[in-house]
């Protein structure tokens, strides 16, 4: 049996300098935007590489919430005070 951690955790609410959304990409999802909670914990908006009915997801802590479109994912984040990280590196 193989155990794999699922989620995002940071030490003292900070991501390493130069972290970019694509650092969270995997074979199914592409990381597109980094945000942070009011406590400084990381949040990633991701898009599924497959044609899924709910292709967008917001990942924070050990939670994932799925959406039909990017605008809904952003609205979810904004309604919960998850601000975009200004220091993220653009590709």
């Amino acid at each position: 049996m193989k155990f794999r951690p699922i989620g995002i955790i940071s030490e003292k609410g900070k991501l390493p300098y130069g972290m970019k959304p694509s650092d969270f990409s995997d074979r199914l999802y592409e990381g597109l935007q980094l945000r942070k909670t009011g406590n400084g914990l990381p949040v990633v908006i991701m898009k599924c590489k497959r044609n899924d009915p709910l292709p967008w997801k917001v990942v924070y802590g050990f939670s994932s919430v799925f959406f039909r479109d990017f605008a809904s994912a952003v609205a979810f984040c904004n309604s919960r005070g998850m601000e975009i990280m200004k220091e993220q590196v653009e590709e």
Side-chain angles (χ1 to χ4, degrees):
M1 181 179 285
K2 188 174 188 181
F3 290 100
R4 233 180 250 207
I6 300 171
I8 303 168
I9 301 177
S10 66
E11 185 176 333
K12 296 182 183 176
K14 296 191 178 195
L15 291 176
Y17 177 77
M19 181 74 61
K20 54 190 179 283
S22 63
D23 292 338
F24 295 94
S25 297
D26 59 23
R27 67 181 182 83
L28 293 178
Y29 284 90
E30 181 180 358
L32 295 178
Q33 190 177 87
L34 284 176
R35 292 177 165 256
K36 62 183 175 182
T37 64
N39 297 337
L41 299 175
V43 177
V44 181
I45 297 179
M46 306 181 86
K47 184 173 192 290
C48 187
K49 296 175 182 177
R50 301 180 312 204
N51 189 16
D52 283 356
L54 298 173
W56 294 91
K57 77 174 176 177
V58 175
V59 180
Y60 58 103
F62 289 102
S63 299
S64 296
V65 183
F66 297 86
F67 300 93
R68 291 183 195 265
D69 54 47
F70 180 70
S72 298
V74 169
F76 172 83
C77 291
N78 290 340
S79 71
R80 283 156 180 79
M82 299 172 178
E83 300 174 350
I84 191 161
M85 295 179 120
K86 305 246 186 283
E87 63 271 8
Q88 63 188 320
V89 176
E90 296 294 325
E91 290 186 37

